[in-house]
Amino acid sequence: MAEINDVVYQSSLDINKKPHQVILSKTHLTWEAAVSRTCDGSPSSEPFIANKACRQIPLEELIAVCPEKSLNHSNTPTSARRKLGSPKHDTPLYIEMEPMHPVAFSIYVLNKTPNHKWRKKKVTFFCGEEKLCDTWVVKIKETLSDKRFNRPRSLLVFVNPFGGRRKAPSIYDCQIAPLFELAEIQTHVIKTTHANHAKEILAHYNLRTVDGVVCVGGDGMFTELLNGLLDRRQREAGILQTPQHSPLPPNLRIGIIPAGSTDAIVYTTTGINDPKTSALHIILGDSIGIDVCSIYSGQEFLRYSCSMLSYGYYGDMLKDSESNRWMGPSRYQLAGAKKFLGNRAYEGEVSFRLSSNTETNPKDKVFCVSGCNVCSFSKEKTDQQDSHSTDSITEISHDADGWHRFRGKFLAVASFTMSCRCKLAPIGPSPFCHLGDGTSDIMVVQHCSRIQFLRHLYRCSGTKANQFDFPFIKVFRVKEWSFKATEQKEEMSQSSPGKQNKSRECRTSVWNCDGEVLEQPNLNVRVHCQLVNLFARGIEDFDQERNFSSCCSLCE
Ligand SMILES: Nc1ncnc2c1ncn2[C@@H]1O[C@H](COP(=O)(O)OP(=O)(O)OP(=O)(O)O)[C@@H](O)[C@H]1O
Ligand SMILES: CCCCCCCCCCCCC/C=C/[C@@H](O)[C@H](CO)NC(=O)CCCCC
Ligand SMILES: [Ca+2]
């Protein structure tokens, strides 16, 4: 076997009844069939890839290790068997007894399957004697508990029985609790009884007792946790929540087990809305910083948001859909179709400061992937923000202070702080938006015909990323923006006063803020680069995944 650095422990163990040399290092667990060829001839950095009899698992991908209490093995020494009958018998009778102590242990390893779905895979090692088994289990657990793996030991979990298809309690009990138990994560589980329940608890909970906060629900439930943690942090630090102050980051990571209607945040940060995949991201201690918007109405702080904030079409759609919650996720489609037929436009003024990074833009065809360079670079630059902006936009006015202004009649104004992937929009309504670059993509859909708007919506639901390629759509990458509803100049019909009154109603829309209605039409919004950390790693590059599967036989 080729040389392995930082060996923690090694011995011979049986896998599938064949002896193997097993080595635990600080970074990997490796095993090689004892009779097989050595791994010579391969480059020293990848010594085991060439030899199929060798397996090497990075410890980052080791989910759990457990003694196998119920397993025996043909190699089990006779001490684990009980003699029956009289000693005078020539041939003693033996009955297989369950060993008092385990003589085998299993490891559960990450198995990456297509479409970003993660599962666990089990490999069992037979030790022959209990002491060796105990030692292996202890050594692996000790190594995994090293701080650099950053794995949570204890979690506060909120289950929203009201969101999505109302399946959050069964999703948690049947799929997630057993995984957390396997990984020996302590949990305090709270089933919420009303909206804002989680936020109320987060205001007073002893957060020092947990390593993370998890919700089983949708985007709305995540946003509740986000707001709960951020409010608490600012209150304790004495930070005022005004447009002039920058919020401090919370100390805890947030995990999302998807059980909502859209699940855009989990979809965008893991690549899929799959409860078990999310649980594995949490167990393995993944971490990614995501941008958060702080939203104000004048000087009044309203809330924090991190996915879509949208006025006009999506706001009206959300408001209309609330009364049909019983329908689950399809309520959005019904309300969406109604509002589409209404083709209602609203007057307003959008102002914004462009991103300081002029090398990226909402149409640049650069996806945000796990380990994204744009996000890493933006985080480094966060503290050195400047007000530089491009002059390339001619349709709109801009002031000396770097603010651009855009007035008009809009079907929709939307800011995307992440791409907002979801089932309806598989690469997201703003596909090249970044999770942690400190910016949002502002999209303005000018009043257009139904057929034109339908073409835009249809393209959002596809994968060509061409939804912005229309003359009635403008899109900007911004770090701060505001919206002001302006007076609606409706044509007043002298001959029909009833119609006149009707046209004066509802001159403003509402905001759809991560799936919650905000009634104030006039908003000021600032983006804070990577203000919170999630138990996720962003969407893994497909090429990377392909390379992984060819180098690890567990994933074949
Ligand atoms: N027990 C409860 N009863 C009523 N509302 C609740 C309860 N617990 C939480 N809520 C509220 O339900 C709202 C919506 O929940 P959630 O986001 O989980 O589902 P969803 O709206 O169906 O999904 P999505 O946001 O992904 O579209 C949350 O904002 C939360 O405040
Ligand atoms: C002709 C085909 C038309 C297909 C339409 C495709 C357009 C889909 C865009 C989806 C944008 C989702 C953005 C994320 C929003 C979430 O913060 C929010 C809360 O979960 N969900 C919705 O508002 C629910 C949004 C539902 C939109 C219909
Ligand atoms: Ca962003």
Side-chain angles (χ1 to χ4, degrees):
M1 184 178 281
E3 196 181 320
I4 291 177
N5 295 325
D6 293 328
V7 173
V8 175
Y9 195 64
Q10 61 179 309
S11 80
S12 174
L13 301 175
D14 282 7
I15 305 167
N16 294 331
K17 301 188 179 176
K18 290 196 186 101
H20 285 71
Q21 185 62 18
V22 187
I23 302 181
L24 174 68
S25 76
K26 284 188 177 163
T27 54
H28 291 87
L29 184 70
T30 310
W31 60 93
E32 183 185 13
V35 289
S36 74
R37 295 170 286 114
T38 56
C39 302
D40 55 6
S42 313
S44 57
S45 59
E46 295 177 328
F48 302 103
I49 292 167
N51 187 344
K52 284 275 174 189
C54 299
R55 306 283 187 268
Q56 189 166 54
I57 307 297
L59 295 187
E60 284 90 356
E61 297 183 359
L62 192 49
I63 296 159
V65 56
C66 300
E68 285 289 357
K69 294 202 173 71
S70 59
L71 271 185
N72 209 333
H73 178 46
S74 55
N75 289 357
T76 304
T78 46
S79 62
R81 301 172 174 192
R82 175 85 40 93
K83 245 184 211 178
L84 265 191
S86 150
K88 286 175 198 158
H89 285 154
D90 291 343
T91 321
L93 289 171
Y94 289 95
I95 183 166
E96 292 288 338
M97 298 292 290
E98 201 171 275
M100 296 294 287
H101 295 283
V103 292
F105 69 90
S106 292
I107 59 165
Y108 294 86
V109 182
L110 177 60
N111 183 14
K112 291 181 181 177
T113 71
N115 301 323
H116 312 282
K117 188 187 269 188
W118 286 6
R119 288 292 177 264
K120 64 178 180 354
K121 189 148 184 163
K122 182 175 173 179
V123 184
T124 302
F125 298 81
F126 292 87
C127 307
E129 46 153 331
E130 65 192 59
K131 202 160 166 246
L132 184 61
C133 183
D134 288 350
T135 309
W136 266 105
V137 173
V138 167
K139 292 281 179 197
I140 295 176
K141 281 186 184 172
E142 269 174 13
T143 313
L144 283 182
S145 65
D146 192 289
K147 275 207 174 79
R148 79 202 141 94
F149 293 113
N150 204 10
R151 296 183 182 210
R153 299 308 338 144
S154 138
L155 294 169
L156 172 60
V157 181
F158 294 101
V159 180
N160 175 7
F162 177 77
R165 293 191 173 85
R166 308 193 177 200
K167 289 191 173 150
S170 67
I171 288 175
Y172 185 77
D173 293 342
C174 304
Q175 301 185 42
I176 308 306
L179 279 174
F180 285 164
E181 203 174 310
L182 183 73
E184 295 184 289
I185 295 177
Q186 305 287 318
T187 51
H188 179 185
V189 183
I190 299 172
K191 199 195 267 191
T192 56
T193 57
H194 53 274
N196 281 324
H197 188 185
K199 200 170 165 217
E200 288 157 19
I201 290 171
L202 287 173
H204 304 291
Y205 197 86
N206 182 0
L207 296 174
R208 289 204 189 90
T209 61
V210 290
D211 303 317
V213 182
V214 171
C215 61
V216 189
D219 297 320
M221 197 55 198
F222 165 80
T223 308
E224 211 185 283
L225 264 51
L226 173 84
N227 279 273
L229 284 180
L230 279 164
D231 283 353
R232 167 92 181 254
R233 179 79 169 102
Q234 312 320 310
R235 196 188 70 217
E236 287 182 346
I239 304 280
L240 295 175
Q241 287 169 307
T242 71
Q244 291 73 38
H245 293 84
S246 290
L248 289 178
N251 300 321
L252 295 174
R253 275 172 288 175
I254 308 179
I256 316 170
I257 304 291
S261 301
T262 317
D263 295 325
I265 299 164
V266 86
Y267 213 110
T268 310
T269 52
T270 68
I272 191 170
N273 62 337
D274 176 61
K276 285 184 183 166
T277 303
S278 289
L280 294 175
H281 280 282
I282 295 170
I283 291 169
L284 295 179
D286 273 357
S287 187
I288 189 166
I290 64 162
D291 296 337
V292 176
C293 293
S294 53
I295 308 169
Y296 308 86
S297 173
Q299 286 291 308
E300 184 199 355
F301 170 75
L302 298 181
R303 57 192 290 155
Y304 299 102
S305 151
C306 66
S307 66
M308 179 179 80
L309 186 52
S310 182
Y311 183 82
Y313 175 73
Y314 289 108
D316 294 350
M317 180 273 304
L318 180 73
K319 196 165 182 179
D320 190 85
S321 72
E322 281 300 293
S323 55
N324 285 328
R325 268 208 168 261
W326 60 270
M327 291 176 71
S330 4
R331 71 190 185 276
Y332 291 138
Q333 272 110 305
L334 176 67
K338 276 165 72 181
K339 295 300 155 188
F340 165 76
L341 292 172
N343 196 239
R344 182 81 206 258
Y346 297 91
E347 287 199 10
E349 182 182 273
V350 185
S351 325
F352 52 85
R353 285 206 305 144
L354 287 169
S355 160
S356 329
N357 182 355
T358 54
E359 280 162 24
T360 79
N361 69 69
K363 296 185 184 182
D364 64 10
K365 309 256 181 263
V366 177
F367 283 111
C368 183
V369 290
S370 190
C372 173
N373 286 335
V374 173
C375 297
S376 314
F377 176 76
S378 305
K379 179 67 178 162
E380 280 169 27
K381 293 268 290 181
T382 307
D383 299 330
Q384 315 155 17
Q385 284 184 352
D386 64 338
S387 57
H388 173 77
S389 32
T390 54
D391 287 349
S392 59
I393 300 142
T394 50
E395 305 95 316
I396 58 172
S397 66
H398 58 270
D399 296 349
D401 60 1
W403 280 87
H404 296 258
R405 286 177 220 293
F406 193 96
R407 253 173 185 263
K409 210 166 174 187
F410 310 123
L411 280 185
V413 174
S415 104
F416 302 100
T417 304
M418 57 175 65
S419 64
C420 293
R421 290 179 179 220
C422 57
K423 286 240 164 78
L424 284 175
I427 58 169
S430 188
F432 308 116
C433 205
H434 287 270
L435 283 168
D437 65 344
T439 73
S440 299
D441 289 351
I442 285 258
M443 174 189 74
V444 178
V445 183
Q446 290 171 289
H447 198 185
C448 60
S449 69
R450 286 186 186 85
I451 189 77
Q452 284 171 316
F453 189 45
L454 183 65
R455 285 174 68 209
H456 159 72
L457 289 176
Y458 180 75
R459 288 187 184 185
C460 283
S461 67
T463 53
K464 287 191 179 151
N466 54 0
Q467 56 264 57
F468 299 143
D469 300 342
F470 292 103
F472 55 91
I473 292 191
K474 302 276 177 286
V475 61
F476 311 101
R477 188 154 285 177
V478 308
K479 55 187 173 187
E480 188 173 0
W481 61 274
S482 67
F483 179 82
K484 202 162 99 201
T486 53
E487 193 59 30
Q488 197 107 329
K489 295 183 196 74
E490 302 264 3
E491 299 90 44
M492 304 288 185
S493 160
Q494 291 281 331
S495 55
S496 52
K499 207 175 169 188
Q500 192 177 20
N501 284 340
K502 204 173 176 197
S503 73
R504 280 187 173 148
E505 287 165 14
C506 302
R507 286 177 177 177
T508 56
S509 175
V510 294
W511 287 91
N512 174 341
C513 174
D514 293 336
E516 305 299 310
V517 173
L518 280 185
E519 298 280 354
Q520 295 88 334
N522 300 344
L523 302 182
N524 323 319
V525 179
R526 283 172 64 201
V527 192
H528 306 281
C529 188
Q530 298 184 30
L531 188 64
V532 294
N533 282 301
L534 261 58
F535 286 107
R537 60 172 69 166
I539 297 177
E540 289 192 307
D541 190 301
F542 289 95
D543 288 342
Q544 257 178 30
E545 283 193 343
R546 224 171 285 126
N547 291 342
F548 175 88
S549 54
S550 65
C551 76
C552 175
S553 58
L554 282 172
C555 298
E556 281 167 359

